[in-house]
Amino acid sequence: MYVISGAIAGTGITAFMVDRITGQNEIDQVMLRRPRPLNRPTSCIGCKYYHGISYNGSPLICSVHPEGIEGAKCPDWQSF
């Protein structure tokens, strides 16, 4: 009786672990395909509008100034 219940429990644990490992591999693949962040301009540090990810080679700096600002200080900077 104990042997059968131990075998069933072992099979359940093995199936659970295989499912967790498979799920983690899928998450890892999604993370590898995710766009990489850009170097954050100093004028964007702490701004709630900053995005900083490049899509198909085109950087999206922020929602207000998609291509970034020309000066050293952003007129639309807002903290969180």
Side-chain angles (χ1 to χ4, degrees):
M1 182 76 150
Y2 292 114
V3 174
I4 294 172
S5 62
I8 292 171
T11 303
I13 292 171
T14 302
F16 174 76
M17 293 305 295
V18 167
D19 184 57
R20 296 288 298 198
I21 292 169
T22 303
Q24 185 61 45
N25 288 340
E26 290 172 4
I27 291 170
D28 291 342
Q29 291 301 318
V30 168
M31 294 301 287
L32 288 173
R33 290 190 304 262
R34 197 179 94 195
R36 299 284 178 226
L38 303 170
N39 290 331
R40 184 180 299 226
T42 55
S43 60
C44 298
I45 295 174
C47 182
K48 72 178 184 178
Y49 298 122
Y50 179 74
H51 185 67
I53 294 180
S54 179
Y55 296 95
N56 296 326
S58 298
L60 177 59
I61 304 299
C62 79
S63 59
V64 179
H65 306 280
E67 297 177 3
I69 60 168
E70 292 183 17
K73 185 176 179 184
C74 180
D76 299 304
W77 186 93
Q78 288 188 13
S79 66
F80 286 99

